[in-house]
Amino acid sequence: MRRGLMRERAAKFRSLVIAPVLALAVTTCMWGVANAREFSDNAIRGGYGCLTTGLILEIEGQLYQLVFDGKGKITSGDKLVNFAGEVCIAPVDPAGSSYTVNPDGTGTLTVKLGTATASDGDEAGLCADFSGASEHYAIVVESGGKRVDLSGLDPFFTGGGFTGGSDPGDFFQSGACNRQVGG
């Protein structure tokens, strides 16, 4: 009779104490996993199409196609800049292009440009300024890495035709990059 009473008490203990504690532990772990998303460089990888605009009399815009490796490097891409109808196209130089993503989803992006080419002869001087220049952005990753918002840092431009190693004035660039999906 004593063994039966002990088994009965053990069963009650399991159902009254162990089961609720186990359920609480599982619920806490699941809730923590769902809300503990930390970002890293791997949050952005693959191809992205980007559009940025500047505040230089609202006559300047840029298109990018960038490929992120998920490890802090940009492996390829192109930039098209349209400044009041004057168009330059420059390849992205992977050797000087990189990004970082912090655990909170913020970070930085540096895009180094190769030799820019003009769409016609009157853009040669403008394109020469962009050749070899680097652009610097603050970023925030959104929508699980499907979108990256950009805002230019100061100095925005360094190198290339921007004397003294930095931009001669304050440039304002902002925009977004969206993950490209093949179609």
Side-chain angles (χ1 to χ4, degrees), residues 117-163:
T117 57
S119 64
D120 63 33
D122 64 345
E123 289 119 352
L126 174 66
C127 295
D129 285 343
F130 288 107
S131 295
S134 293
E135 298 176 333
H136 308 279
Y137 292 95
I139 64 171
V140 63
V141 179
E142 298 187 48
S143 301
K146 293 178 184 172
R147 178 182 168 105
V148 178
D149 289 333
L150 310 168
S151 183
L153 294 172
D154 191 18
F156 178 67
F157 284 112
T158 56
F162 300 94
T163 58

mmCIF file of all heavy atoms in Angstrom, residues 117-163:
data_model
loop_
_atom_site.group_PDB
_atom_site.id
_atom_site.type_symbol
_atom_site.label_atom_id
_atom_site.label_comp_id
_atom_site.label_asym_id
_atom_site.label_seq_id
_atom_site.Cartn_x
_atom_site.Cartn_y
_atom_site.Cartn_z
ATOM 1 N N THR A 117 32.727 55.793 -67.456
ATOM 2 C CA THR A 117 32.658 56.146 -68.879
ATOM 3 C C THR A 117 31.430 57.018 -69.123
ATOM 4 O O THR A 117 30.405 56.878 -68.460
ATOM 5 C CB THR A 117 32.577 54.892 -69.768
ATOM 6 O OG1 THR A 117 31.449 54.118 -69.385
ATOM 7 C CG2 THR A 117 33.839 54.057 -69.642
ATOM 8 N N ALA A 118 31.572 57.924 -70.074
ATOM 9 C CA ALA A 118 30.510 58.875 -70.396
ATOM 10 C C ALA A 118 29.600 58.308 -71.465
ATOM 11 O O ALA A 118 30.035 57.553 -72.329
ATOM 12 C CB ALA A 118 31.121 60.184 -70.891
ATOM 13 N N SER A 119 28.320 58.707 -71.403
ATOM 14 C CA SER A 119 27.397 58.243 -72.441
ATOM 15 C C SER A 119 27.593 59.025 -73.739
ATOM 16 O O SER A 119 27.253 58.544 -74.803
ATOM 17 C CB SER A 119 25.953 58.335 -71.975
ATOM 18 O OG SER A 119 25.578 59.667 -71.752
ATOM 19 N N ASP A 120 28.145 60.230 -73.650
ATOM 20 C CA ASP A 120 28.579 60.965 -74.838
ATOM 21 C C ASP A 120 29.732 61.892 -74.449
ATOM 22 O O ASP A 120 30.121 61.935 -73.281
ATOM 23 C CB ASP A 120 27.416 61.709 -75.524
ATOM 24 C CG ASP A 120 26.778 62.787 -74.670
ATOM 25 O OD1 ASP A 120 27.481 63.438 -73.867
ATOM 26 O OD2 ASP A 120 25.563 63.006 -74.805
ATOM 27 N N GLY A 121 30.288 62.624 -75.388
ATOM 28 C CA GLY A 121 31.531 63.366 -75.185
ATOM 29 C C GLY A 121 31.496 64.487 -74.170
ATOM 30 O O GLY A 121 32.529 64.824 -73.583
ATOM 31 N N ASP A 122 30.346 65.093 -73.902
ATOM 32 C CA ASP A 122 30.354 66.256 -73.024
ATOM 33 C C ASP A 122 30.364 65.915 -71.530
ATOM 34 O O ASP A 122 30.413 66.793 -70.689
ATOM 35 C CB ASP A 122 29.192 67.205 -73.352
ATOM 36 C CG ASP A 122 27.823 66.595 -73.107
ATOM 37 O OD1 ASP A 122 27.739 65.367 -72.954
ATOM 38 O OD2 ASP A 122 26.850 67.370 -73.073
ATOM 39 N N GLU A 123 30.344 64.622 -71.178
ATOM 40 C CA GLU A 123 30.373 64.235 -69.771
ATOM 41 C C GLU A 123 31.761 63.840 -69.281
ATOM 42 O O GLU A 123 31.911 63.429 -68.135
ATOM 43 C CB GLU A 123 29.418 63.059 -69.525
ATOM 44 C CG GLU A 123 27.974 63.438 -69.616
ATOM 45 C CD GLU A 123 27.265 62.668 -70.713
ATOM 46 O OE1 GLU A 123 27.933 61.969 -71.489
ATOM 47 O OE2 GLU A 123 26.038 62.796 -70.802
ATOM 48 N N ALA A 124 32.778 63.935 -70.104
ATOM 49 C CA ALA A 124 34.110 63.421 -69.761
ATOM 50 C C ALA A 124 34.635 63.989 -68.451
ATOM 51 O O ALA A 124 35.155 63.251 -67.607
ATOM 52 C CB ALA A 124 35.093 63.700 -70.892
ATOM 53 N N GLY A 125 34.503 65.291 -68.222
ATOM 54 C CA GLY A 125 35.004 65.896 -66.986
ATOM 55 C C GLY A 125 34.259 65.403 -65.766
ATOM 56 O O GLY A 125 34.861 65.094 -64.734
ATOM 57 N N LEU A 126 32.949 65.314 -65.874
ATOM 58 C CA LEU A 126 32.134 64.810 -64.770
ATOM 59 C C LEU A 126 32.500 63.372 -64.445
ATOM 60 O O LEU A 126 32.711 63.019 -63.278
ATOM 61 C CB LEU A 126 30.648 64.904 -65.131
ATOM 62 C CG LEU A 126 29.662 64.283 -64.148
ATOM 63 C CD1 LEU A 126 29.666 65.045 -62.834
ATOM 64 C CD2 LEU A 126 28.256 64.250 -64.748
ATOM 65 N N CYS A 127 32.627 62.546 -65.447
ATOM 66 C CA CYS A 127 32.947 61.134 -65.228
ATOM 67 C C CYS A 127 34.339 60.949 -64.636
ATOM 68 O O CYS A 127 34.556 60.035 -63.844
ATOM 69 C CB CYS A 127 32.804 60.354 -66.526
ATOM 70 S SG CYS A 127 31.105 60.293 -67.135
ATOM 71 N N ALA A 128 35.269 61.817 -65.004
ATOM 72 C CA ALA A 128 36.626 61.728 -64.440
ATOM 73 C C ALA A 128 36.597 61.906 -62.924
ATOM 74 O O ALA A 128 37.364 61.260 -62.211
ATOM 75 C CB ALA A 128 37.538 62.762 -65.091
ATOM 76 N N ASP A 129 35.708 62.771 -62.400
ATOM 77 C CA ASP A 129 35.606 62.972 -60.950
ATOM 78 C C ASP A 129 35.170 61.694 -60.237
ATOM 79 O O ASP A 129 35.631 61.394 -59.143
ATOM 80 C CB ASP A 129 34.626 64.098 -60.618
ATOM 81 C CG ASP A 129 35.202 65.472 -60.886
ATOM 82 O OD1 ASP A 129 36.442 65.596 -61.010
ATOM 83 O OD2 ASP A 129 34.408 66.428 -60.975
ATOM 84 N N PHE A 130 34.269 60.945 -60.848
ATOM 85 C CA PHE A 130 33.761 59.723 -60.217
ATOM 86 C C PHE A 130 34.747 58.566 -60.310
ATOM 87 O O PHE A 130 34.731 57.675 -59.466
ATOM 88 C CB PHE A 130 32.425 59.308 -60.840
ATOM 89 C CG PHE A 130 31.292 60.199 -60.450
ATOM 90 C CD1 PHE A 130 30.761 61.094 -61.371
ATOM 91 C CD2 PHE A 130 30.759 60.174 -59.176
ATOM 92 C CE1 PHE A 130 29.712 61.921 -61.018
ATOM 93 C CE2 PHE A 130 29.706 60.995 -58.813
ATOM 94 C CZ PHE A 130 29.181 61.879 -59.738
ATOM 95 N N SER A 131 35.600 58.552 -61.302
ATOM 96 C CA SER A 131 36.554 57.459 -61.492
ATOM 97 C C SER A 131 37.483 57.346 -60.289
ATOM 98 O O SER A 131 38.181 58.294 -59.930
ATOM 99 C CB SER A 131 37.382 57.679 -62.769
ATOM 100 O OG SER A 131 36.549 57.617 -63.905
ATOM 101 N N GLY A 132 37.473 56.188 -59.652
ATOM 102 C CA GLY A 132 38.331 55.932 -58.499
ATOM 103 C C GLY A 132 37.816 56.499 -57.191
ATOM 104 O O GLY A 132 38.463 56.331 -56.156
ATOM 105 N N ALA A 133 36.669 57.142 -57.187
ATOM 106 C CA ALA A 133 36.103 57.703 -55.948
ATOM 107 C C ALA A 133 35.409 56.608 -55.138
ATOM 108 O O ALA A 133 35.019 55.566 -55.667
ATOM 109 C CB ALA A 133 35.110 58.816 -56.273
ATOM 110 N N SER A 134 35.272 56.854 -53.845
ATOM 111 C CA SER A 134 34.501 55.975 -52.963
ATOM 112 C C SER A 134 33.352 56.763 -52.369
ATOM 113 O O SER A 134 33.495 57.942 -52.060
ATOM 114 C CB SER A 134 35.375 55.434 -51.829
ATOM 115 O OG SER A 134 36.358 54.563 -52.331
ATOM 116 N N GLU A 135 32.216 56.097 -52.205
ATOM 117 C CA GLU A 135 31.039 56.692 -51.584
ATOM 118 C C GLU A 135 30.783 55.975 -50.259
ATOM 119 O O GLU A 135 30.976 54.759 -50.159
ATOM 120 C CB GLU A 135 29.817 56.561 -52.491
ATOM 121 C CG GLU A 135 30.007 57.280 -53.803
ATOM 122 C CD GLU A 135 28.843 57.075 -54.754
ATOM 123 O OE1 GLU A 135 28.155 56.038 -54.672
ATOM 124 O OE2 GLU A 135 28.650 57.953 -55.607
ATOM 125 N N HIS A 136 30.341 56.727 -49.259
ATOM 126 C CA HIS A 136 30.195 56.189 -47.904
ATOM 127 C C HIS A 136 28.765 56.407 -47.415
ATOM 128 O O HIS A 136 28.265 57.536 -47.429
ATOM 129 C CB HIS A 136 31.200 56.852 -46.967
ATOM 130 C CG HIS A 136 32.604 56.793 -47.491
ATOM 131 N ND1 HIS A 136 33.393 55.675 -47.355
ATOM 132 C CD2 HIS A 136 33.337 57.689 -48.198
ATOM 133 C CE1 HIS A 136 34.565 55.901 -47.936
ATOM 134 N NE2 HIS A 136 34.553 57.117 -48.459
ATOM 135 N N TYR A 137 28.126 55.321 -46.973
ATOM 136 C CA TYR A 137 26.741 55.355 -46.524
ATOM 137 C C TYR A 137 26.586 54.753 -45.129
ATOM 138 O O TYR A 137 27.301 53.812 -44.773
ATOM 139 C CB TYR A 137 25.854 54.515 -47.444
ATOM 140 C CG TYR A 137 25.671 55.035 -48.838
ATOM 141 C CD1 TYR A 137 26.469 54.575 -49.881
ATOM 142 C CD2 TYR A 137 24.679 55.956 -49.125
ATOM 143 C CE1 TYR A 137 26.285 55.027 -51.186
ATOM 144 C CE2 TYR A 137 24.488 56.413 -50.424
ATOM 145 C CZ TYR A 137 25.286 55.949 -51.441
ATOM 146 O OH TYR A 137 25.097 56.404 -52.714
ATOM 147 N N ALA A 138 25.618 55.257 -44.395
ATOM 148 C CA ALA A 138 25.077 54.561 -43.225
ATOM 149 C C ALA A 138 23.928 53.717 -43.768
ATOM 150 O O ALA A 138 23.235 54.132 -44.700
ATOM 151 C CB ALA A 138 24.566 55.553 -42.198
ATOM 152 N N ILE A 139 23.738 52.513 -43.222
ATOM 153 C CA ILE A 139 22.675 51.634 -43.713
ATOM 154 C C ILE A 139 21.847 51.086 -42.557
ATOM 155 O O ILE A 139 22.294 51.064 -41.406
ATOM 156 C CB ILE A 139 23.235 50.454 -44.543
ATOM 157 C CG1 ILE A 139 24.120 49.538 -43.692
ATOM 158 C CG2 ILE A 139 23.984 50.955 -45.762
ATOM 159 C CD1 ILE A 139 24.528 48.244 -44.406
ATOM 160 N N VAL A 140 20.646 50.633 -42.888
ATOM 161 C CA VAL A 140 19.828 49.849 -41.965
ATOM 162 C C VAL A 140 19.150 48.756 -42.790
ATOM 163 O O VAL A 140 18.630 49.009 -43.869
ATOM 164 C CB VAL A 140 18.804 50.716 -41.182
ATOM 165 C CG1 VAL A 140 17.796 51.364 -42.089
ATOM 166 C CG2 VAL A 140 18.118 49.896 -40.104
ATOM 167 N N VAL A 141 19.237 47.526 -42.286
ATOM 168 C CA VAL A 141 18.670 46.366 -42.965
ATOM 169 C C VAL A 141 17.232 46.185 -42.496
ATOM 170 O O VAL A 141 16.947 46.256 -41.301
ATOM 171 C CB VAL A 141 19.489 45.087 -42.656
ATOM 172 C CG1 VAL A 141 18.891 43.867 -43.331
ATOM 173 C CG2 VAL A 141 20.937 45.274 -43.078
ATOM 174 N N GLU A 142 16.329 45.964 -43.446
ATOM 175 C CA GLU A 142 14.920 45.790 -43.121
ATOM 176 C C GLU A 142 14.351 44.570 -43.822
ATOM 177 O O GLU A 142 14.971 44.026 -44.738
ATOM 178 C CB GLU A 142 14.137 47.030 -43.568
ATOM 179 C CG GLU A 142 14.575 48.294 -42.860
ATOM 180 C CD GLU A 142 13.671 49.449 -43.198
ATOM 181 O OE1 GLU A 142 12.447 49.278 -43.123
ATOM 182 O OE2 GLU A 142 14.189 50.511 -43.552
ATOM 183 N N SER A 143 13.167 44.191 -43.399
ATOM 184 C CA SER A 143 12.384 43.114 -44.041
ATOM 185 C C SER A 143 13.191 41.842 -44.240
ATOM 186 O O SER A 143 13.186 41.248 -45.316
ATOM 187 C CB SER A 143 11.823 43.602 -45.383
ATOM 188 O OG SER A 143 11.013 44.726 -45.199
ATOM 189 N N GLY A 144 13.883 41.434 -43.192
ATOM 190 C CA GLY A 144 14.653 40.192 -43.275
ATOM 191 C C GLY A 144 15.760 40.217 -44.307
ATOM 192 O O GLY A 144 16.119 39.189 -44.843
ATOM 193 N N GLY A 145 16.287 41.400 -44.612
ATOM 194 C CA GLY A 145 17.370 41.522 -45.588
ATOM 195 C C GLY A 145 16.890 41.775 -47.002
ATOM 196 O O GLY A 145 17.697 41.871 -47.921
ATOM 197 N N LYS A 146 15.585 41.898 -47.206
ATOM 198 C CA LYS A 146 15.059 42.160 -48.546
ATOM 199 C C LYS A 146 15.253 43.610 -48.957
ATOM 200 O O LYS A 146 15.215 43.931 -50.141
ATOM 201 C CB LYS A 146 13.574 41.810 -48.624
ATOM 202 C CG LYS A 146 13.301 40.336 -48.473
ATOM 203 C CD LYS A 146 11.825 40.059 -48.506
ATOM 204 C CE LYS A 146 11.560 38.590 -48.256
ATOM 205 N NZ LYS A 146 10.133 38.329 -48.088
ATOM 206 N N ARG A 147 15.464 44.500 -47.986
ATOM 207 C CA ARG A 147 15.622 45.929 -48.273
ATOM 208 C C ARG A 147 16.721 46.497 -47.384
ATOM 209 O O ARG A 147 16.849 46.123 -46.225
ATOM 210 C CB ARG A 147 14.310 46.657 -48.004
ATOM 211 C CG ARG A 147 14.387 48.141 -48.223
ATOM 212 C CD ARG A 147 13.029 48.778 -47.878
ATOM 213 N NE ARG A 147 13.129 50.214 -47.804
ATOM 214 C CZ ARG A 147 12.683 51.035 -48.739
ATOM 215 N NH1 ARG A 147 12.111 50.553 -49.826
ATOM 216 N NH2 ARG A 147 12.791 52.332 -48.589
ATOM 217 N N VAL A 148 17.504 47.402 -47.953
ATOM 218 C CA VAL A 148 18.551 48.106 -47.210
ATOM 219 C C VAL A 148 18.361 49.599 -47.481
ATOM 220 O O VAL A 148 18.413 50.026 -48.638
ATOM 221 C CB VAL A 148 19.968 47.665 -47.650
ATOM 222 C CG1 VAL A 148 21.032 48.441 -46.896
ATOM 223 C CG2 VAL A 148 20.149 46.161 -47.468
ATOM 224 N N ASP A 149 18.111 50.382 -46.436
ATOM 225 C CA ASP A 149 18.004 51.833 -46.586
ATOM 226 C C ASP A 149 19.392 52.444 -46.463
ATOM 227 O O ASP A 149 20.223 51.982 -45.682
ATOM 228 C CB ASP A 149 17.074 52.425 -45.525
ATOM 229 C CG ASP A 149 15.615 52.080 -45.774
ATOM 230 O OD1 ASP A 149 15.258 51.855 -46.944
ATOM 231 O OD2 ASP A 149 14.847 52.035 -44.807
ATOM 232 N N LEU A 150 19.637 53.518 -47.245
ATOM 233 C CA LEU A 150 20.941 54.165 -47.313
ATOM 234 C C LEU A 150 20.821 55.650 -46.993
ATOM 235 O O LEU A 150 19.864 56.298 -47.408
ATOM 236 C CB LEU A 150 21.521 54.068 -48.727
ATOM 237 C CG LEU A 150 21.568 52.729 -49.429
ATOM 238 C CD1 LEU A 150 21.891 52.919 -50.902
ATOM 239 C CD2 LEU A 150 22.594 51.855 -48.788
ATOM 240 N N SER A 151 21.821 56.187 -46.322
ATOM 241 C CA SER A 151 21.933 57.629 -46.133
ATOM 242 C C SER A 151 23.411 57.987 -46.162
ATOM 243 O O SER A 151 24.218 57.370 -45.454
ATOM 244 C CB SER A 151 21.310 58.066 -44.803
ATOM 245 O OG SER A 151 21.361 59.470 -44.681
ATOM 246 N N GLY A 152 23.765 58.969 -46.993
ATOM 247 C CA GLY A 152 25.168 59.339 -47.154
ATOM 248 C C GLY A 152 25.797 59.847 -45.874
ATOM 249 O O GLY A 152 25.174 60.560 -45.092
ATOM 250 N N LEU A 153 27.047 59.454 -45.643
ATOM 251 C CA LEU A 153 27.831 59.946 -44.511
ATOM 252 C C LEU A 153 28.657 61.141 -44.957
ATOM 253 O O LEU A 153 28.788 61.413 -46.151
ATOM 254 C CB LEU A 153 28.761 58.833 -44.002
ATOM 255 C CG LEU A 153 28.064 57.623 -43.381
ATOM 256 C CD1 LEU A 153 29.082 56.511 -43.113
ATOM 257 C CD2 LEU A 153 27.359 58.015 -42.092
ATOM 258 N N ASP A 154 29.244 61.848 -44.031
ATOM 259 C CA ASP A 154 30.115 62.977 -44.340
ATOM 260 C C ASP A 154 31.519 62.611 -43.879
ATOM 261 O O ASP A 154 31.709 62.318 -42.697
ATOM 262 C CB ASP A 154 29.629 64.235 -43.630
ATOM 263 C CG ASP A 154 30.322 65.497 -44.122
ATOM 264 O OD1 ASP A 154 30.913 65.452 -45.210
ATOM 265 O OD2 ASP A 154 30.266 66.506 -43.425
ATOM 266 N N PRO A 155 32.531 62.550 -44.737
ATOM 267 C CA PRO A 155 32.443 62.905 -46.137
ATOM 268 C C PRO A 155 31.784 61.791 -46.941
ATOM 269 O O PRO A 155 32.034 60.614 -46.710
ATOM 270 C CB PRO A 155 33.894 63.096 -46.558
ATOM 271 C CG PRO A 155 34.674 62.177 -45.664
ATOM 272 C CD PRO A 155 33.916 62.163 -44.358
ATOM 273 N N PHE A 156 30.969 62.190 -47.884
ATOM 274 C CA PHE A 156 30.294 61.215 -48.732
ATOM 275 C C PHE A 156 31.260 60.657 -49.768
ATOM 276 O O PHE A 156 31.367 59.460 -49.943
ATOM 277 C CB PHE A 156 29.070 61.853 -49.398
ATOM 278 C CG PHE A 156 28.358 60.915 -50.330
ATOM 279 C CD1 PHE A 156 27.713 59.794 -49.833
ATOM 280 C CD2 PHE A 156 28.339 61.138 -51.686
ATOM 281 C CE1 PHE A 156 27.060 58.908 -50.672
ATOM 282 C CE2 PHE A 156 27.677 60.262 -52.539
ATOM 283 C CZ PHE A 156 27.037 59.146 -52.033
ATOM 284 N N PHE A 157 31.965 61.548 -50.464
ATOM 285 C CA PHE A 157 32.946 61.137 -51.470
ATOM 286 C C PHE A 157 34.346 61.246 -50.902
ATOM 287 O O PHE A 157 34.673 62.201 -50.208
ATOM 288 C CB PHE A 157 32.895 62.049 -52.705
ATOM 289 C CG PHE A 157 31.742 61.806 -53.617
ATOM 290 C CD1 PHE A 157 30.749 62.752 -53.743
ATOM 291 C CD2 PHE A 157 31.652 60.637 -54.359
ATOM 292 C CE1 PHE A 157 29.677 62.547 -54.589
ATOM 293 C CE2 PHE A 157 30.580 60.420 -55.211
ATOM 294 C CZ PHE A 157 29.590 61.378 -55.327
ATOM 295 N N THR A 158 35.178 60.258 -51.226
ATOM 296 C CA THR A 158 36.619 60.354 -50.981
ATOM 297 C C THR A 158 37.314 59.849 -52.234
ATOM 298 O O THR A 158 36.772 59.030 -52.977
ATOM 299 C CB THR A 158 37.071 59.521 -49.762
ATOM 300 O OG1 THR A 158 36.679 58.166 -49.943
ATOM 301 C CG2 THR A 158 36.479 60.062 -48.465
ATOM 302 N N GLY A 159 38.520 60.346 -52.471
ATOM 303 C CA GLY A 159 39.304 59.904 -53.616
ATOM 304 C C GLY A 159 38.766 60.415 -54.934
ATOM 305 O O GLY A 159 37.921 61.305 -54.981
ATOM 306 N N GLY A 160 39.272 59.840 -56.021
ATOM 307 C CA GLY A 160 38.850 60.267 -57.352
ATOM 308 C C GLY A 160 39.108 61.745 -57.567
ATOM 309 O O GLY A 160 40.150 62.270 -57.196
ATOM 310 N N GLY A 161 38.148 62.435 -58.168
ATOM 311 C CA GLY A 161 38.284 63.857 -58.446
ATOM 312 C C GLY A 161 37.908 64.751 -57.280
ATOM 313 O O GLY A 161 37.804 65.964 -57.438
ATOM 314 N N PHE A 162 37.721 64.181 -56.113
ATOM 315 C CA PHE A 162 37.341 64.971 -54.943
ATOM 316 C C PHE A 162 38.608 65.271 -54.150
ATOM 317 O O PHE A 162 39.114 64.441 -53.408
ATOM 318 C CB PHE A 162 36.274 64.221 -54.136
ATOM 319 C CG PHE A 162 35.062 63.973 -54.972
ATOM 320 C CD1 PHE A 162 34.906 62.778 -55.657
ATOM 321 C CD2 PHE A 162 34.106 64.960 -55.119
ATOM 322 C CE1 PHE A 162 33.800 62.565 -56.461
ATOM 323 C CE2 PHE A 162 32.992 64.755 -55.927
ATOM 324 C CZ PHE A 162 32.846 63.557 -56.595
ATOM 325 N N THR A 163 39.136 66.467 -54.373
ATOM 326 C CA THR A 163 40.457 66.854 -53.870
ATOM 327 C C THR A 163 40.516 66.843 -52.358
ATOM 328 O O THR A 163 39.519 66.994 -51.676
ATOM 329 C CB THR A 163 40.830 68.251 -54.388
ATOM 330 O OG1 THR A 163 39.819 69.161 -53.958
ATOM 331 C CG2 THR A 163 40.927 68.268 -55.894
#
